[in-house]
Amino acid sequence: AQTVTQSQPEMSVQEAETVTLSCTYDTSESDYYLFWYKQPPSRQMILVIRQEAYKQQNATENRFSVNFQKAAKSFSLKISDSQLGDAAMYFCAYRSAFNTGRRALTFGSGTRLQVQP
Amino acid sequence: GAVVSQHPSRVICKSGTSVKIECRSLDFQATTMFWYRQFPKQSLMLMATSNEGSKATYEQGVEKDKFLINHASLTLSTLTVTSAHPEDSSFYICSAPLAGAPYEQYFGPGTRLTVT
């Protein structure tokens, strides 16, 4: 079974600064997807960024980028130029790429990000 | 992007009663939907996979007779919490993957259930 671990329950960053959220995972599968989701106080899950395991290039979405280290099974999220609206709970998630594999997402325990003005 | 709705957004029920939560994909067909439960300050835990036209698949430890799932159509899945108890109070979230794009998964806004 796959597991996802987020070792930082809470993080804090100053507005306009950069912060990195950590995530490690364990799997025996060779192909999979990794995600970072944001959950603001409204509780609506919002996809921040996605990475396909077969792609070596790290995904980027505007101020959000990942550092994907497949051999180390590490998938960290970097938020640049942090904004007050970035304050939320962030979840790292895993999904098998195989149709016979688990199709639901497996989530980490989450990291609460605070942004200080 | 695709939209998934949930109804109701909040519900309060008395202990021993049943409550139904609906999950709808508004602009796409979903042969599969997932039901998650999220306790306060915790992560999302998969409860079951809802399959259109067949029985739901439950995760280990989830009572299928207590959490009844019906995937009535390609756009609707329902979760019925039967004989609810205070410990069932939680936030329930459904999601649906987009056919042909398995990495695209859309979440409903969630339902907060409070059992008194």
Side-chain angles (χ1 to χ4, degrees), chain B residues 65-84:
Chain B
D65 295 330
K66 180 170 184 60
F67 298 99
L68 299 179
I69 290 173
N70 182 25
H71 202 131
S73 73
L74 288 171
T75 58
L76 174 64
S77 174
T78 59
L79 168 68
T80 301
V81 183
T82 62
S83 186

Side-chain angles (χ1 to χ4, degrees), chain A residues 39 43-44 102 105 108, chain B residues 36 38 43 59 102 107 112:
Chain A
Q39 189 180 44
R43 308 290 289 269
Q44 174 72 57
R102 181 183 172 94
L105 297 174
Chain B
Y36 296 87
Q38 185 179 29
S43 186
E59 294 299 296
F107 285 83
R112 178 173 299 285

Side-chain angles (χ1 to χ4, degrees), chain A residues 72-92:
Chain A
K73 295 180 181 175
S74 171
F75 182 62
S76 61
L77 173 70
K78 186 171 82 172
I79 306 174
S80 303
D81 186 26
S82 297
Q83 300 175 358
L84 294 177
D86 295 334
M89 196 75 170
Y90 286 81
F91 291 100
C92 179

Side-chain angles (χ1 to χ4, degrees), chain A residues 51-71:
Chain A
Q51 174 80 42
E52 289 91 338
Y54 67 87
K55 290 186 177 179
Q56 292 189 344
Q57 187 172 8
N58 289 324
T60 62
E61 286 288 341
N62 300 313
R63 298 184 293 109
F64 299 88
S65 62
V66 298
N67 183 4
F68 174 48
Q69 302 290 328
K70 190 172 184 179

Side-chain angles (χ1 to χ4, degrees), chain A:
Chain A
Q2 296 80 28
T3 59
V4 179
T5 302
Q6 292 178 249
S7 58
Q8 306 157 315
E10 290 193 13
M11 292 285 284
S12 183
V13 63
Q14 291 290 128
E15 198 174 3
E17 296 294 308
T18 296
V19 65
T20 298
L21 307 185
S22 301
C23 173
T24 59
Y25 60 95
D26 191 25
T27 183
S28 59
E29 296 181 324
S30 58
D31 200 13
Y32 46 87
Y33 304 103
L34 294 166
F35 308 84
W36 278 98
Y37 279 90
K38 171 184 178 181
Q39 189 180 44
S42 68
R43 308 290 289 269
Q44 174 72 57
M45 298 292 284
I46 301 167
L47 177 64
V48 174
I49 200 165
R50 177 185 73 233
Q51 174 80 42
E52 289 91 338
Y54 67 87
K55 290 186 177 179
Q56 292 189 344
Q57 187 172 8
N58 289 324
T60 62
E61 286 288 341
N62 300 313
R63 298 184 293 109
F64 299 88
S65 62
V66 298
N67 183 4
F68 174 48
Q69 302 290 328
K70 190 172 184 179
K73 295 180 181 175
S74 171
F75 182 62
S76 61
L77 173 70
K78 186 171 82 172
I79 306 174
S80 303
D81 186 26
S82 297
Q83 300 175 358
L84 294 177
D86 295 334
M89 196 75 170
Y90 286 81
F91 291 100
C92 179
Y94 172 104
R95 187 203 183 274
S96 172
F98 297 102
N99 287 331
T100 54
R102 181 183 172 94
R103 292 172 294 156
L105 297 174
T106 299
F107 288 92
S109 55
T111 297
R112 180 167 302 282
L113 178 66
Q114 295 181 328
V115 181
Q116 307 296 333

